[in-house]
Amino acid sequence: MASLGNAGGTSSPMVMLAPKTKTKKKHFVQQKVKVFRASDPVLSVFMWGVNHSINDLNQVPIPVMLLPDDFKANTKIKVNNHLFNKENLPGHFKFKEYCPQVFRNLRERFGIEDQDYQVSLARSPPVRGGEGQGEGLLLTSYDRTLVVKQISSEDVADMHSILSEYHQHIVKCHGSTLLPQFLGMYRVSVESEDSYLIVMRNMFSHRLLVHRKYDLKGSLVSREASDKEKVKELPTYKDVDFRNNMQKVYVTEEEKEKFMEKLNRDVEFLVRLKIMDYSLLLGIHDVARAERDEEEAEEPGGEDEVEPDNGLAPAPLVGSYGTSPEGIAGYMNSFKPLGPGEFDPYVDVYAVKSAPGAPQKEVYFMGLIDVLTQYDTKKKAAHAAKTVKHGAGAEISTVHPEQYAKRFRDFIANIFA
C-alpha cells in the first residue's frame, strides 16, 4: 500500500510517511519475472501500470460499499527506474489510475475477473485497430476482448462528471446495457508527455470477424461514408448508406423487444445527463461467408497468409503462465469448440443471432458509442450554425438532447426487418 498516493489529500498516515526510496525498490522485486515489451514506451508503461495496480488492488479488501470519495480518488506511482528492465521501460515514468475502487466494482458487475483483465492487457501488447468504437486512437487487447482508447483530459473530466450516475445506472440494470462497459481509466506520463487511456469491453467479437459495419445516429444530413472511407477494407458506413443498401437487422421479435428495452433505458439515462451525439455501432458477421473463407484457407496448396482471412480471428497465443488465468476469453478453450456463427454470450455480450427465417445467417453486434459529448456551449454554437445553414426544421445532427434521443430511437426502431 505504501506505494499509492491518494488524491484529494485524504492519504492515510501510512502512505504519507512511507519513505519514497523504499517504495521504489519494492516494485522491482515483484516485477522481475514479467517483461513489458511494446514498441511504444507509453504502451510498455501502460502494461506495467495495469499489472502493478491489479496486484496492489488484490492486497486491498473489497469495500462493502462505494463512498463519494471513491469517485474522486486516484492512485499514482512515480518510477525513476535506472537499472531494472531498461530495454523495455523508459528511465522515468509516472502512472496514475483514476477511481480504482469504482472501476474494480464495475468490472465485477460486468462479470470480468481482475486477474483475467490483467492477463488480457498485460501479457502481450495491445495492437492498433479497435473496430471503430468511437473517435480517437484505438487499440485492441492481444486477445481482442478489450479496447483501449486514447482520450483527452477533457474526456477524463467528463467521465468523472458522469461516473457516479453511470455506476448507479449499471447497478440498476444489473450490468445489462448497450452503453460502453467502462473498465478502467489511466494516465501514463513519459518524458513529461501525458497520455490518457480508457479501457472498455470490445463490442465486437474476439472470435467472429465483422464483415460490415455501420455507425448510426438517426440523422440523414452529412451522414454518408466518404469515398475515401468506402475503399477501406472494413469501411464505417453511416445512416444514408444503411438506407441506400436496403440493410436490415433480422432478429426474432423477442430479441428486438429485449434490445429496444435496453436501448430505451440507456437513452433515457443519456438524456438525463444531457448527453448527445452518441451512435449505435452495428457490426455484422456473415456466417456463410466466414465458412467459405475458412474452407478456402484450409485448401491444400493455399499460401499461408500472415493475417488469416477466414471468418475467425486467429486464436491468441497462450503465454507461459501455466495454470494461471487465461484472459477474459481464455476459459472458452476448455469447453467444446464453438461452431460457425456461435458465440459465448458471457464474452460477446453485445451479440445477437439472426432469426431462423432470415435471408442469411448472421450475427449482429450492437452497442452505443461516443457517449461523452454533453450538450454544452460547443454544441449550442454548432446547432445555431447548422440551423442557419439548413433551416430550423431540417434533420441536422446537432439538436437538443431530448430531440436527439427521440430521433435516434425512432430511427433505430426501424432498422429491424
Side-chain angles (χ1 to χ4, degrees):
M1 252 326 264
S3 61
L4 304 182
N6 242 11
T10 55
S11 310
S12 69
M14 182 176 81
V15 175
M16 298 280 281
L17 299 172
K20 281 200 169 163
T21 46
K22 263 190 186 164
T23 320
K24 282 170 199 156
K25 278 181 193 149
K26 186 185 109 182
H27 305 308
F28 302 150
V29 176
Q30 86 190 41
Q31 292 302 339
K32 271 184 183 151
V33 269
K34 300 193 186 84
V35 173
F36 300 95
R37 184 183 288 120
S39 51
D40 179 348
V42 170
L43 274 189
S44 296
V45 172
F46 170 71
M47 291 161 70
W48 182 90
V50 167
N51 186 66
H52 176 82
S53 78
I54 295 289
N55 286 345
D56 266 6
L57 270 176
N58 282 341
Q59 313 302 316
V60 183
I62 296 175
V64 180
M65 60 186 287
L66 292 173
L67 301 169
D69 276 358
D70 291 320
F71 290 87
K72 297 182 208 132
N74 62 61
T75 58
K76 295 179 193 171
I77 178 163
K78 180 179 181 179
V79 174
N80 290 324
N81 161 18
H82 293 290
L83 303 167
F84 169 71
N85 206 356
K86 218 158 116 184
E87 61 279 16
N88 300 313
L89 288 168
H92 306 268
F93 61 84
K94 289 191 285 188
F95 180 83
K96 179 176 185 177
E97 178 176 17
Y98 297 97
C99 313
Q101 291 293 1
V102 178
F103 285 108
R104 176 200 223 175
N105 187 273
L106 285 168
R107 289 193 294 271
E108 189 188 335
R109 291 180 186 280
F110 291 133
I112 291 176
E113 300 268 341
D114 273 2
Q115 268 70 20
D116 290 331
Y117 177 79
Q118 183 180 34
V119 169
S120 288
L121 287 174
R123 173 182 288 170
S124 202
V127 292
R128 274 174 190 266
E131 301 293 0
Q133 307 194 11
E135 295 160 12
L137 172 70
L138 279 178
L139 302 160
T140 309
S141 63
Y142 83 98
D143 63 359
R144 292 187 167 86
T145 57
L146 301 174
V147 169
V148 183
K149 181 179 180 184
Q150 187 163 9
I151 55 176
S152 65
S153 55
E154 290 80 19
D155 290 331
V156 173
D158 287 347
M159 191 67 210
H160 272 107
S161 72
I162 70 162
L163 191 55
S164 178
E165 285 89 348
Y166 172 81
H167 180 268
Q168 277 170 15
H169 180 71
I170 298 309
V171 171
K172 269 189 203 150
C173 69
H174 305 290
S176 173
T177 181
L178 300 172
L179 293 171
Q181 293 192 0
F182 295 118
L183 306 171
M185 188 163 69
Y186 310 94
R187 185 190 73 195
V188 171
S189 310
V190 177
E191 290 175 6
S192 59
E193 284 253 327
D194 292 339
S195 301
Y196 301 92
L197 301 163
I198 194 159
V199 179
M200 302 172 274
R201 191 194 282 271
N202 189 355
M203 284 186 177
F204 290 168
S205 175
H206 68 288
R207 184 178 160 272
L208 304 176
L209 288 188
V210 163
H211 298 112
R212 188 174 301 156
K213 123 183 129 167
Y214 291 92
D215 174 308
L216 304 173
K217 287 187 189 291
S219 165
L220 298 174
V221 173
S222 310
R223 294 289 300 157
E224 186 172 1
S226 65
D227 292 341
K228 188 180 161 195
E229 181 67 30
K230 283 175 182 169
V231 296
K232 289 184 181 173
E233 197 183 337
L234 183 65
T236 301
Y237 292 112
K238 297 184 177 174
D239 307 59
V240 172
D241 309 300
F242 190 88
R243 289 235 169 136
N244 292 349
N245 295 348
M246 312 284 281
Q247 183 73 59
K248 284 289 178 190
V249 171
Y250 300 89
V251 295
T252 62
E253 198 54 44
E254 185 193 353
E255 287 288 5
K256 179 189 168 180
E257 274 174 32
K258 241 164 54 179
F259 174 85
M260 287 309 295
E261 192 184 313
K262 273 191 212 177
L263 184 84
N264 289 330
R265 195 168 52 208
D266 290 337
V267 167
E268 274 161 31
F269 162 76
L270 295 172
V271 168
R272 270 204 315 280
L273 292 184
K274 298 201 171 8
I275 287 173
M276 51 189 289
D277 232 24
Y278 42 87
S279 307
L280 181 80
L281 178 68
L282 163 65
I284 303 171
H285 170 79
D286 177 337
V287 179
R289 179 175 159 187
E291 284 188 275
R292 277 197 312 276
D293 291 347
E294 196 176 2
E295 278 162 23
E296 279 169 30
E298 283 171 1
E299 274 175 21
E303 284 181 36
D304 283 353
E305 290 186 23
V306 182
E307 186 62 40
D309 228 1
N310 57 359
L312 298 182
L317 298 171
V318 174
S320 53
Y321 269 60
T323 55
S324 70
E326 283 300 308
I328 292 164
Y331 74 95
M332 298 278 301
N333 303 332
S334 56
F335 297 114
K336 69 176 175 59
L338 293 166
E342 288 183 2
F343 55 86
D344 181 329
Y346 292 104
V347 181
D348 291 333
V349 298
Y350 295 93
V352 186
K353 269 187 181 145
S354 59
Q360 55 253 15
K361 202 172 168 198
E362 293 174 324
V363 180
Y364 307 104
F365 301 93
M366 296 181 283
L368 295 168
I369 57 168
D370 291 334
V371 299
L372 288 178
T373 310
Q374 285 178 296
Y375 187 70
D376 55 13
T377 42
K378 202 164 57 180
K379 274 281 149 205
K380 286 174 186 163
H383 177 68
K386 283 198 180 177
T387 305
V388 170
K389 188 175 170 187
H390 298 288
E395 247 196 278
I396 55 180
S397 67
T398 21
V399 291
H400 296 279
E402 292 80 5
Q403 287 168 291
Y404 188 89
K406 183 183 183 322
R407 191 185 66 195
F408 179 75
R409 275 195 282 215
D410 290 349
F411 187 92
I412 301 304
N414 287 312
I415 68 173
F416 298 96

